């Protein structure tokens, strides 16, 4: 409204100035806005001019009833009647214009009132802004002081943290030094522990060997003294001397037990290896009182223990007295006997299975042939045979590992044992290749590496599995 009546007053420009003034005061002490600022004074002055103009226009807009004094001069000094007539004519002619003028005057007066209200509101707004700016300025000042305090505290904290960080760094370096020392000590302790473990195992092995050997020596000396007591002062006859000769075969029993413990592995390892044969026993439906299992050269009795725990009837024979005593201590059915002599005492078709693990490589060829023949004789129809032996197809086994045991005769290729089994009357013969070297010991690669692994790191043992004809 003000802009329409007086082009010198621009409300948008005025509000823009107010906004700029507020923006300038942000972040700095604010100037107090007074009611006598030039902007408000100018607006009031302009409105006074407008009101005077409106007063003048209003006076001129009323119906004229009096001839103007300025027109009383020649040539307008008309007679009274003519003046009245002229005034009536003029009032009639400008009647609509007067109405328009009155409407415009009314509108302009309302505009002036509105502008006066706007000026009052602007003044009130300035006062509020001034108060708000004063409050904000006080708050900013307080905040600034607090920020300065916080900044000081942060600086102090930062310095303390730097001190703590330095101390932590020093402590970390010391801990690293201590950790290195502990690691070195731990490695040394591990080395000592390994040495102690090895020494402990050697001690146990040697202690077992010494005890067993002493028991054999004591038995031999006791036997000799008993025979001497019976015969003295008469000389020993041939039969008594043969008894001493037979006892000489058992002088190394304790040594061979220690040898087995050192090279063959722990009982737990052997038990886990032998579990592969349990499905064959179950499929053959043997291990019953009518079809018992005979394990020749039963050794420490791992296979007999596994069969017993699985609910099968079994019996073992061996010639090593120390091993027999160990088996009997575990409540296993084991007797001392020569394998051929014992088999010859059994009737035909009396056993469900004959097994032997790492036995046939100890036998001379003629004894090996008799073993197969007697085994087939004593088996029931469809009876099972399992003989496990070192695999000479593995070059490391055939050229080195096989000869670790000085009681071995010679390696037995699987094809040879398979042929002997067929000639002896077994059927459905299969060769089970067992116990390859761990993968981490094998060579990585394709065809050539695989062939190399087969011959050097392949299966260390094999088993001949066969059945008697119906």
């Amino acid at each position: 409204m003000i802009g329409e009546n007086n082009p010198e007053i621009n409300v948008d420009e005025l509000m823009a100035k107010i906004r700029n003034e507020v923006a300038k005061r942000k972040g700095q002490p604010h100037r107090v806005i007074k009611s006598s600022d030039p902007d408000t004074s100018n607006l009031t002055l302009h409105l006074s001019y407008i009101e005077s103009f409106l007063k003048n226009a209003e006076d001129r807009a009323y119906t004229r009833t009096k001839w103007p004094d300025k027109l009383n001069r020649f040539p307008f000094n008309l007679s009274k009647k003519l003046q009245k007539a002229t005034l009536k004519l003029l009032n009639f002619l400008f009647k609509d214009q007067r109405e328009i003028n009155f409407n415009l005057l009314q509108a302009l007066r309302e505009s002036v009132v509105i502008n006066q209200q706007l000026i009052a509101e602007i003044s009130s707004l300035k006062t509020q802004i001034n108060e708000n700016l004063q409050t904000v300025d006080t708050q900013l000042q307080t905040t600034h002081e607090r920020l300065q305090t916080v900044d000081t505290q942060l600086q102090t904290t930062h310095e303390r943290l730097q001190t703590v960080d330095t101390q932590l760094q020093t402590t970390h370096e010391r801990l690293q030094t201590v950790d290195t020392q502990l690691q070195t000590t731990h490695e040394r302790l591990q080395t000592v522990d390994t040495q102690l473990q090895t020494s402990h195992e050697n001690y146990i092995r040697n202690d077992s060997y010494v005890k067993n050997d002493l028991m054999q020596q004591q038995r031999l000396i006791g036997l000799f003294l008993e025979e001497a007591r019976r015969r003295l002062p008469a000389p020993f006859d041939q039969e008594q001397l043969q008894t001493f000769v037979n006892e000489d075969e058992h002088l190394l029993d304790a040594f061979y037990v220690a040898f087995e413990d050192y090279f063959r592995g722990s009982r737990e390892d052997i038990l886990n290896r032998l579990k592969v044969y349990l499905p064959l026993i179950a499929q053959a439906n043997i291990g019953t009182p009518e079809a018992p299992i005979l394990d020749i050269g039963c050794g420490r009795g791992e296979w007999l223990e596994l069969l017993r725990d699985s609910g099968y009837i079994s019996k073992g024979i061996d010639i090593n007295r120390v091993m027999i005593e160990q088996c009997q201590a575990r409540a296993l059915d084991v007797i001392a006997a020569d394998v051929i002599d014992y088999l010859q005492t059994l009737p035909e078709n009396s056993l469900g299975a004959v097994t032997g693990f790492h036995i046939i490589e100890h036998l001379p060829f003629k004894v090996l042939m008799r073993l197969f023949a007697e085994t087939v004789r004593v088996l029931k129809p469809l009876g099972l045979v399992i003989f496990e032996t070192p695999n000479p197809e593995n070059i490391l086994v055939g050229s080195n590992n096989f000869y670790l045991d000085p009681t071995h005769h010679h390696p037995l290729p699987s094809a040879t044992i398979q042929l002997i089994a067929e000639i002896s009357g077994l059927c459905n013969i299969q060769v089970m290749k067992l116990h390859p070297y761990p993968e981490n010991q094998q060579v990585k690669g394709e065809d050539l590496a695989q062939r190399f692994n087969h011959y050097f790191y392949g299966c260390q043992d094999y088993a001949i599995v066969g059945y008697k004809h119906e």
Side-chain angles (χ1 to χ4, degrees), residues 1-6 9 43-55 103-121:
M1 298 296 292
I2 296 175
E4 294 175 357
N5 293 283
N6 191 345
I9 302 172
L43 288 174
T44 304
L45 181 61
H46 287 307
L47 289 177
S48 298
Y49 291 156
I50 292 173
E51 288 178 351
S52 62
F53 292 152
L54 290 176
K55 179 64 176 174
N103 291 333
L104 288 175
L105 287 172
Q106 184 64 29
L108 288 174
R109 287 189 181 278
E110 291 178 359
S111 175
V112 169
V113 172
I114 292 173
N115 287 329
Q116 287 175 342
Q117 293 175 353
L118 286 175
I119 291 172
E121 290 178 0

Side-chain angles (χ1 to χ4, degrees), residues 200-241:
H200 180 67
E201 293 175 356
N202 292 335
Y203 171 78
I204 293 176
R205 189 182 302 112
N206 294 335
D207 181 67
S208 176
Y209 165 69
V210 171
K211 288 180 180 179
N212 292 326
D213 189 61
L214 286 175
M215 291 176 61
Q216 295 302 314
Q217 298 297 335
Q218 183 180 8
R219 181 185 294 109
L220 184 60
I221 293 173
L223 177 63
F224 178 80
L225 291 176
E226 179 64 22
E227 291 295 333
R229 185 183 63 79
R230 291 178 182 177
R231 300 300 300 173
L232 290 178
F236 291 111
D237 58 23
Q238 186 66 31
E239 182 180 355
Q240 291 168 336
L241 293 175

Side-chain angles (χ1 to χ4, degrees), residues 128-325:
Q128 294 176 3
I129 290 173
N130 180 62
E131 293 174 354
N132 292 334
L133 288 177
Q134 283 182 332
T135 303
V136 170
D137 184 66
T138 303
Q139 293 175 350
L140 288 175
Q141 184 66 26
T142 305
T143 303
H144 179 69
E145 294 174 355
R146 291 178 180 176
L147 288 175
Q148 284 183 328
T149 304
V150 171
D151 185 68
T152 303
Q153 293 174 350
L154 287 175
Q155 183 66 24
T156 304
T157 304
H158 179 69
E159 293 174 356
R160 291 178 180 176
L161 288 176
Q162 282 184 327
T163 304
V164 172
D165 184 68
T166 304
Q167 294 174 350
L168 287 176
Q169 182 67 23
T170 304
T171 304
H172 179 69
E173 293 174 357
R174 292 178 180 175
L175 287 176
Q176 281 184 325
T177 304
V178 172
D179 185 67
T180 304
Q181 294 174 350
L182 288 176
Q183 182 68 23
T184 304
T185 304
H186 179 68
E187 293 174 356
R188 291 178 180 175
L189 289 175
Q190 280 185 326
T191 303
V192 172
D193 184 67
T194 303
Q195 294 174 351
L196 288 175
Q197 183 69 20
T198 303
S199 300
H200 180 67
E201 293 175 356
N202 292 335
Y203 171 78
I204 293 176
R205 189 182 302 112
N206 294 335
D207 181 67
S208 176
Y209 165 69
V210 171
K211 288 180 180 179
N212 292 326
D213 189 61
L214 286 175
M215 291 176 61
Q216 295 302 314
Q217 298 297 335
Q218 183 180 8
R219 181 185 294 109
L220 184 60
I221 293 173
L223 177 63
F224 178 80
L225 291 176
E226 179 64 22
E227 291 295 333
R229 185 183 63 79
R230 291 178 182 177
R231 300 300 300 173
L232 290 178
F236 291 111
D237 58 23
Q238 186 66 31
E239 182 180 355
Q240 291 168 336
L241 293 175
Q242 186 62 41
T243 302
F244 296 141
V245 172
N246 292 339
E247 287 296 324
D248 184 65
E249 296 179 358
H250 297 285
L251 290 177
L252 296 178
D253 284 0
F255 169 79
Y256 197 74
V257 172
F259 178 89
E260 285 279 313
D261 292 340
Y262 188 85
F263 285 104
R264 184 156 172 77
S266 66
R267 291 185 63 86
E268 184 179 0
D269 292 337
I270 302 304
L271 281 170
N272 291 329
R273 288 185 179 186
L274 293 174
K275 288 179 181 178
V276 69
Y277 299 111
L278 289 178
L280 297 176
I281 302 297
Q283 292 173 5
N285 194 25
I286 55 178
T288 62
E290 296 78 18
I293 301 169
L294 176 66
D295 186 34
I296 61 175
C298 61
R300 298 178 301 188
E302 294 94 344
W303 176 238
L304 293 174
E305 184 178 351
L306 190 61
L307 290 173
R308 182 190 63 186
D309 294 343
S310 300
Y312 298 113
I313 304 300
S314 62
K315 185 174 186 176
I317 61 173
D318 205 299
I319 59 174
N320 189 303
R321 290 175 176 173
V322 177
M323 290 184 176
I324 293 172
E325 291 174 357

